[in-house]
Amino acid sequence: KSQFPQITFLFLLIKSLFLQETVKRGILFGAPIYISYSHSETDIKKTVSACREAFQIIKQAEREGDFRKYLEG
């Protein structure tokens, strides 16, 4: 059991929001996240773009202090 339940919960909210937003953009991450030589340059650009957009949403949620507002489902 975590000694820091609030930090753990916040981490899970952010991770869930990141995964949700990247899936919406066509990128499904597993754990851990790796880019390999089997990915094309187009794949990598799409992945980086999806991550950038997801991070912008996370940044907005952090500014508002409400990650749950952005989670769907």
Side-chain angles (χ1 to χ4, degrees), residues 5-43:
Q6 291 177 331
I7 294 171
T8 300
F9 185 71
L10 179 60
F11 168 77
L12 292 174
L13 283 175
I14 294 169
K15 180 180 177 182
S16 296
L17 184 55
F18 175 78
L19 294 174
Q20 168 189 285
E21 294 302 319
T22 55
V23 165
K24 286 168 58 176
R25 289 160 178 77
I27 304 297
L28 176 61
F29 286 113
I33 299 170
Y34 293 119
I35 294 178
S36 74
Y37 284 109
S38 66
H39 295 100
S40 68
E41 188 172 334
T42 301
D43 294 333

Side-chain angles (χ1 to χ4, degrees), residues 49-72:
S49 177
C51 290
R52 186 174 287 123
E53 292 174 22
F55 287 135
Q56 288 300 316
I57 292 168
I58 291 167
K59 185 177 180 179
Q60 182 64 33
E62 194 272 331
R63 278 190 200 126
E64 295 176 17
D66 190 0
F67 291 97
R68 290 183 193 180
K69 171 182 167 183
Y70 289 87
L71 288 172
E72 301 170 14

